[in-house]
Amino acid sequence: MHRKLRNLLILLAFLFAAACADNDTSKTKSMEPDGDPVCGNGTLDDGETCDGSSLDGESCEGLGLGDGELRCRTNCSDYDRSACGAPESCGDDSVEAPETCDGTDLAGATCESLGYGPGTLGCSANCAEFDVTMCGAVATCGNGELDDNELCDGSALGGATCGSLGLGTGDLACSDNCQQFDTTGCSAGCTPECGERECGPDPVCGSSCGGCDDGELCSAEGMCVCQPTTCDAQGAQCGTIDDGCGGTLDCGGCDGPAECGVGGTPNVCACPGVASGGTVDVDVPVVDVTFNLTVGGQALTAANTNYNSQGALELEDVDTG
């Protein structure tokens, strides 16, 4: 009797524990009927790094950044680090962990390598994220679905509203390149803060602070800077040239026997001794040349003394490709 009662109590305890586990929604994985995760439901699903305020316990400090507010990207693929503080190493134009970039040091990344269209890639002020607002649209932009590398797409805003952005009521929209929200329809509006910025988006609203003239680039700090020329653009094959911005470019050296600048044309590789319309005067290796000479149909040999002959052998330089 006592053994049966004890077994019954153990069974009840097991069922109670199972019921508690089933009611624990802190780790619930919400899925669509076809098994895909549901981004925007505030629950961390399989395949998601975060979802809304569900950050899986992560924080700015936990990522090695400064104090701030860690958020989730609208497509749930990664954290939004834009409101985190900068690490101590940020600002020296040299990427160090945990930085993604640092000023002009973009770790070799470009708009295209990150999956965006052509444009000017920059670095955020806290060195935690790339500034892609000046990049072209990704290939998927315009399909009305929130895909990788998109902040929004048409009416797909990832759950964002004017209210969630602190801009009152109204209709939030998406920019044409899917990288910024269009807040012009929000009642509170947004006051751009360009400060001393001359170009690019302002850090508050993403509105343009202006553009740059031809031959200039917009830096990550929002300043128009000179765009250096290239050796190819100037037709320079060797030597150094002016980069057009007060500096110099090293265009390298010449291959083989060619020398830089001979013949009167600077920064062009040519063989030494060559002048325009002149004669090539170079040393060539010594070679043995064997040939047969016939005169009047008879071979001219040392034994044939009927003829006296004098001539010269002319060598022609033939480019065989």
Side-chain angles (χ1 to χ4, degrees):
M1 179 64 180
H2 291 291
R3 179 174 297 178
K4 291 182 179 180
L5 179 60
R6 183 179 62 182
N7 291 340
L8 179 59
L9 292 174
I10 292 175
L11 177 60
L12 289 174
F14 175 80
L15 293 175
F16 179 77
C20 291
D22 290 341
N23 290 330
D24 183 5
T25 60
S26 62
K27 295 295 182 179
T28 299
K29 301 297 183 182
S30 176
M31 308 290 284
E32 291 278 14
D34 59 3
D36 293 331
V38 184
C39 179
N41 63 358
T43 300
L44 194 60
D45 303 323
D46 290 331
E48 296 179 342
T49 300
C50 51
D51 194 322
S53 60
S54 297
L55 303 177
D56 200 23
E58 197 55 88
S59 65
C60 292
E61 295 87 338
L63 296 177
L65 303 172
D67 184 29
E69 181 185 357
L70 186 66
R71 302 166 183 165
C72 187
R73 295 191 183 278
T74 53
N75 61 6
C76 302
S77 64
D78 195 8
Y79 297 112
D80 178 356
R81 302 166 176 82
S82 60
C84 292
E88 293 184 0
S89 56
C90 179
D92 60 1
D93 290 321
S94 178
V95 176
E96 303 175 39
E99 299 172 342
T100 299
C101 51
D102 195 324
T104 58
D105 187 351
L106 303 177
T110 63
C111 290
E112 292 89 335
S113 71
L114 295 178
Y116 300 94
T120 303
L121 184 66
C123 185
S124 62
N126 64 357
C127 300
E129 295 184 330
F130 291 114
D131 181 357
V132 298
T133 54
M134 298 299 289
C135 292
V138 296
T140 55
C141 181
N143 65 2
E145 298 180 2
L146 200 57
D147 299 302
D148 290 341
N149 291 336
E150 293 180 343
L151 177 64
C152 51
D153 194 325
S155 60
L157 304 177
T161 64
C162 291
S164 69
L165 298 179
L167 301 177
T169 59
D171 296 323
L172 185 66
C174 186
S175 64
D176 292 338
N177 67 354
C178 299
Q179 301 306 316
Q180 300 167 260
F181 289 122
D182 180 356
T183 61
T184 55
C186 297
S187 61
C190 185
T191 303
E193 294 183 9
C194 288
E196 296 182 356
R197 289 176 175 264
E198 301 173 339
C199 55
D202 80 274
V204 177
C205 306
S207 301
S208 176
C209 293
C212 297
D213 296 331
D214 292 340
E216 293 182 329
L217 287 174
C218 186
S219 70
E221 293 76 25
M223 306 302 292
C224 292
V225 296
C226 181
Q227 181 178 11
T229 187
T230 64
C231 294
D232 290 340
Q234 299 302 319
Q237 302 173 347
C238 55
T240 58
I241 62 172
D242 186 351
D243 68 357
C245 297
T248 57
L249 288 175
D250 184 357
C251 298
C254 302
D255 297 329
E259 295 180 4
C260 187
V262 298
T265 304
N267 303 110
V268 175
C269 295
C271 291
V274 178
S276 177
T279 302
V280 177
D281 182 14
V282 295
D283 292 331
V284 297
V286 177
V287 296
D288 293 328
V289 180
T290 302
F291 58 93
N292 295 321
L293 180 64
T294 60
V295 178
Q298 297 182 4
L300 182 62
T301 66
N304 190 340
T305 60
N306 295 326
Y307 302 97
N308 292 321
S309 62
Q310 181 178 351
L313 178 65
E314 180 179 352
L315 300 178
E316 181 179 357
D317 183 16
V318 179
D319 185 2
T320 60

